[in-house]
Amino acid sequence: MTIEKLLTETFKKRYLIIRWLFSFLLVTIATSTSANSKNDSLMLELHKTIQNRDVYISQKEKRLDRLRKVLYNASDDEARFLAMGDLLDEFRPYNTDSAI
């Protein structure tokens, strides 16, 4: 092999390596930007949810009041048992959230 061919081969290999690294860098940056955008939208959604905390608490209290009325108006033991189960199912996550 001549020196010119060796230089050409070396140049081609370096060019391919640099091109691959540049492509990898572009993909990494694009993925990172996409992830940041997704995180930003999730943080915005979380912020809106926290701002509406009072609305969610009010909705939960209304559901609990409705279930309490069902319990108090139950006509027999089976209806009371089912109403207590529904009330417990609704109250359990609410009570856990309050403890946090």
Side-chain angles (χ1 to χ4, degrees), residues 14-80:
R14 286 183 181 173
Y15 174 75
L16 289 175
I17 290 171
I18 290 171
R19 189 173 177 183
W20 183 85
L21 287 172
F22 185 71
S23 298
F24 178 76
L25 182 64
L26 284 177
V27 168
T28 303
I29 289 171
T31 304
S32 175
T33 303
S34 173
N36 285 341
S37 175
K38 187 175 182 177
N39 285 342
D40 289 345
S41 66
L42 288 174
M43 289 300 289
L44 182 61
E45 187 67 28
L46 178 61
H47 182 67
K48 287 179 185 177
T49 302
I50 291 171
Q51 282 183 329
N52 292 329
R53 180 178 184 264
D54 293 335
V55 173
Y56 300 133
I57 289 173
S58 175
Q59 291 172 350
K60 179 63 92 169
E61 289 292 336
K62 286 178 184 176
R63 285 194 300 270
L64 288 169
D65 286 342
R66 183 182 51 82
L67 290 171
R68 285 183 189 111
K69 288 177 185 174
V70 169
L71 175 61
Y72 295 136
N73 294 329
S75 57
D76 60 2
D77 288 342
E78 184 178 357
R80 277 190 288 279

